[in-house]
Amino acid sequence: MTLPERKPPQKKRPRNTKEAASDRKPSGFAAMGLSAGMMSALAEAGYLDPTPIQAGLIPPAITGKDLMGQAQTGTGKTAAFAIPILERLEPYRKGRGIQAIVLVPTRELAVQVRDECIKLAFGSEARVMAVYGGKPIRQQVEELRRGSEFVVGTPGRVMDLMDRGVLPLCDIRFVVLDEADRMLDIGFRPDIEKILRKCPASRQTLLLSATIPPPVKKLAERYMREPEMLDFSSKNLAVETIEQFYFTIEPERKYDLLIKLLQREQPKQAIVFCRTRKGTERLYQKLSKLTRKAATIHGDLAQNVRDRVMARFREGKIRLLTATDVVGRGIDVSGISHIINYDIPEFCDDYVHRVGRTGRMGREGVAFTFVSPEEGNELTRIEMRINRLLKRDEIPGFTSYVKPQPTGDLSEEETEEAAPKPPVFGREPKRYRRAL
Ligand code: AMP
């Protein structure tokens, strides 16, 4: 039996056309006067409404103004600068060079920003590519020779390609300095300045930064034309939806605490941040004996390994990623439920960036910071920076200090630790494996 075809509901004709028009006033992306092509790319990406930074930045950026936006990643800032640029890219013409260049601090971010721009360029002919170190330069040279309108890259590699004469900046109309504070922290200032000096003065410059310290301001004063400052940072720098806890812990007990915490929390996906590359690798080596779903990412690894790890993390195949700050920064993976600061970050800004890896786009997230008794001041500095107190957390029965040899009766708190317990990696790995 076939069902009769259902007729679409008839739209009622409005009686008063003036009133009806104002009722249907476009809002969100539709109100920005974007092209039909861009509207369908947004629909394809599933972006129904602009995020606050997109609502605030896209309209003035489309007019060609220089803008400085204070915003963290995870707020939709990539699309906020990519949409106005893609809207004004001129179509391919033989002999015309690159029109837009986005500078980012890390290789991972270069890939991520490129992918987001490709998504938004859906249906258009714009060719978006990423250039970054750690990958054979030849491939990137060839791709550049084939032609590209939109390049995303790390300053070092961009300089390298410029020096080889394959990345001419004479046709540049748009420059974006993404995560400007971080690029300056890493020491990219000389490269950035050289690149900016090579771009035509008539270009539009957009600068995005989580914080605007004096060096960023200076860069803006020197290389931007009367930039308008737009503040999209939330009052409490660490996003509202992220619960934040700390543990007081002796350094020798951190690893055991981590295991207990993972068992308790059962994270969907977690990043465990360490301060050094060696420490990150060491921790990963231990964790990898407990679970196959662990991986690591730090600056000592070859770029193709880093790319593979990121791809598997994004696909959810990795649940536990140990990382250093530089590489961990900017990672945008929506499944990250937990951030664990195994080592307290050296700089307060790094805390904000680490914790910002979870709770993306208003999702819930939780962050734990391990603090040794000597690091109390660092914890206070972080709390002042984010204008919020971290809550103290404990795992019942777990002692956070290296217990002195028992001399007499045991207190209740010490009993579990003193009692003979199965070795962590001996009889227990299966249980841990399950736990992870
Ligand atoms: P970003 O801050 O650019 O790293 O973006 C964070 C995440 O938000 C990315 O996964 C984007 O794909 C996503 N995103 C950006 N804009 C929107 C939007 N308007 N609606 C839904 N998701 C978005």
Side-chain angles (χ1 to χ4, degrees), residues 57-276:
L57 202 115
I58 296 171
I62 279 189
T63 67
K65 270 180 105 136
D66 278 7
L67 301 170
M68 251 173 108
Q70 186 169 357
Q72 288 171 259
T73 45
T75 53
K77 73 178 165 66
T78 312
F81 64 72
I83 291 172
I85 294 177
L86 288 166
E87 281 292 76
R88 287 180 305 141
L89 275 189
E90 283 172 13
Y92 167 77
R93 200 184 64 211
K94 203 167 165 26
R96 190 186 347 246
I98 299 148
Q99 298 179 53
I101 185 147
V102 180
L103 298 178
V104 295
T106 65
R107 299 160 181 184
E108 280 69 24
L109 200 57
V111 171
Q112 203 170 285
V113 168
R114 176 204 56 197
D115 292 349
E116 178 79 357
C117 294
I118 289 177
K119 193 154 70 173
L120 294 166
F122 171 81
S124 90
E125 301 206 323
R127 291 163 299 176
V128 186
M129 69 170 288
V131 297
Y132 51 98
K135 275 261 159 85
I137 200 158
R138 190 137 39 95
Q139 271 172 1
Q140 294 171 5
V141 170
E142 277 162 21
E143 199 175 342
L144 279 168
R145 288 214 170 106
R146 283 197 297 274
S148 174
E149 284 79 40
F150 196 128
V151 171
V152 184
T154 48
R157 182 52 67 100
V158 168
M159 279 287 296
D160 199 347
L161 290 159
M162 249 168 64
D163 293 344
R164 288 164 191 249
V166 287
L167 205 160
L169 299 176
C170 50
D171 289 333
I172 288 287
R173 298 167 54 220
F174 312 99
V175 174
V176 180
L177 304 173
D178 192 13
E179 305 216 346
D181 50 350
R182 189 60 174 186
M183 286 201 285
L184 296 186
D185 282 354
I186 300 175
F188 279 141
R189 172 186 281 281
D191 287 352
I192 294 173
E193 295 199 8
K194 271 187 215 146
I195 294 167
L196 288 173
R197 281 200 291 266
K198 283 261 163 35
C199 295
S202 57
R203 67 173 190 266
Q204 177 183 21
T205 311
L206 304 173
L207 181 150
L208 282 301
S209 199
T211 56
I212 310 280
V216 172
K217 257 195 211 134
K218 228 190 250 165
L219 188 75
E221 278 161 16
R222 217 175 278 169
Y223 294 97
M224 295 174 77
R225 287 170 307 168
E226 296 168 24
E228 187 181 328
M229 171 72 203
L230 301 165
D231 186 356
F232 304 103
S233 59
S234 75
K235 284 249 161 11
N236 288 334
L237 271 168
V239 193
E240 286 294 336
T241 52
I242 302 171
E243 282 198 279
Q244 297 166 66
F245 298 92
Y246 75 94
F247 282 96
T248 306
I249 182 84
E250 287 286 354
E252 297 80 2
R253 302 282 291 141
K254 279 191 199 179
Y255 180 71
D256 287 350
L257 173 63
L258 176 65
I259 300 299
K260 292 264 184 218
L261 184 61
L262 292 171
Q263 287 178 321
R264 184 187 81 183
E265 293 291 317
Q266 299 286 312
K268 187 172 163 228
Q269 278 191 304
I271 306 184
V272 184
F273 279 103
C274 302
R275 259 195 211 179
T276 63

Side-chain angles (χ1 to χ4, degrees), residues 29 47 49 51 54 73-78 116 119 332 360-361:
F29 287 122
Y47 297 177
D49 295 300
T51 65
Q54 290 161 2
T73 45
T75 53
K77 73 178 165 66
T78 312
E116 178 79 357
K119 193 154 70 173
D332 170 37
R360 316 283 285 172
M361 299 296 291

Side-chain angles (χ1 to χ4, degrees), residues 56 176 268 306 400 428 435:
V176 180
K268 187 172 163 228
R306 282 161 62 168
S400 55
E428 283 205 325

